[in-house]
Amino acid sequence: MVLPIYIYGQPVLRKVTEDITPDYPDLPQLIQNMWETLAESDGIGLAAPQIGLPIRLSVIDLRPLAEDMPEYKDFHQAFINPHIIERDETQTDSSEEGCLSLPAIHEKVVRPTRIRVQWQDEQFQQHDEWIEGYLARVMQHEFDHLDGKMFIDHISPLRKQLIKSKLKALTQGRYRCGYKTKPVRK
């Protein structure tokens, strides 16, 4: 089932999420719904707060990028209870990011190119890995959502001032996008 994506201004997008256990209600169906929602919105990542749930769950699908990044031709992974344990700040990269919860807003964000992440897979098997490159960027973006942060929190005050009217328009429901959304209700 395709779920609506919560738009900037929704309080759940600013909440720090909670870890979940294997007995979380209907978890396999929830993950399937997140995959369907992600595919319908043409995104590559989706975090639970973006569908209104304050839990540590995210899905990332990099297969659409396989033509330009063949190393991701099979990358389709759910992350349960992910936590970034360490960021290697010795090398950073500045790249443009966008977000399904911030339609039509794209800004350059500087992030470390290497991070250490702990998470559980769908069988609740524990993983602890150093992740590099584009996947590290995507994980940082998605896992920020689980800590109540968004990519615009990483841009300069000047850039944030320049997009202030666009952010206000989002909170007022004045935007267009090609997927189902849940705007802020005043």
Side-chain angles (χ1 to χ4, degrees), residues 1 7 9 18-19 33 40 47 49 57 66 74 81-82 86 96 111 114 122 129 135 143 145 155 165 167 185:
M1 172 174 47
I7 298 299
E18 300 288 329
D19 281 358
N33 291 348
E40 183 70 22
L57 174 63
D74 297 320
N81 302 326
E86 216 174 318
E96 191 171 274
R111 294 190 188 269
R114 186 170 179 260
E122 291 180 64
E129 288 183 48
L135 178 57
F143 301 166
H145 282 297
I155 63 176
S165 64
L167 295 173
R185 298 277 183 238

Side-chain angles (χ1 to χ4, degrees), residues 27-43:
L27 183 59
Q29 185 60 55
L30 173 59
I31 292 171
Q32 182 59 38
N33 291 348
M34 289 179 72
W35 286 126
E36 291 174 22
T37 302
L38 183 62
E40 183 70 22
S41 61
D42 290 326

Side-chain angles (χ1 to χ4, degrees), residues 84-88 111-117 129-133 135-140 143:
I84 296 175
I85 303 304
E86 216 174 318
R87 295 173 201 268
D88 180 353
R111 294 190 188 269
T113 59
R114 186 170 179 260
I115 58 173
R116 182 174 158 220
V117 182
E129 288 183 48
W130 279 96
I131 308 292
E132 298 184 22
L135 178 57
R137 172 172 293 281
V138 175
M139 285 180 159
Q140 288 173 85
F143 301 166

Side-chain angles (χ1 to χ4, degrees), residues 99 102-106 166 170 175-177 179:
C99 181
L102 293 156
I105 295 178
H106 296 86
K166 290 180 182 180
L170 291 176
Y175 60 89
R176 284 196 193 135
C177 60
Y179 46 87

Side-chain angles (χ1 to χ4, degrees), residues 60-91:
I60 296 175
D61 184 1
L62 298 183
R63 295 174 303 176
L65 308 177
E67 191 172 307
D68 294 325
M69 299 178 190
E71 65 270 29
Y72 298 126
K73 69 180 175 59
D74 297 320
F75 195 92
H76 182 262
Q77 174 76 48
F79 296 88
I80 298 171
N81 302 326
H83 294 272
I84 296 175
I85 303 304
E86 216 174 318
R87 295 173 201 268
D88 180 353
E89 303 280 351
T90 58
Q91 189 169 356

Side-chain angles (χ1 to χ4, degrees), residues 4-8 10-18 30 34 46-59 101 142-150 182:
I5 293 178
Y6 282 52
I7 298 299
Y8 176 80
Q10 288 280 6
V12 71
L13 294 172
R14 293 304 193 171
K15 285 187 176 183
V16 176
T17 59
E18 300 288 329
L30 173 59
M34 289 179 72
L46 184 68
Q50 293 180 277
I51 56 165
L53 298 174
I55 61 172
R56 291 196 83 82
L57 174 63
S58 182
V59 296
S101 294
E142 294 308 322
F143 301 166
D144 270 358
H145 282 297
L146 306 178
D147 292 325
K149 298 177 186 164
M150 302 180 87
K182 184 166 178 72

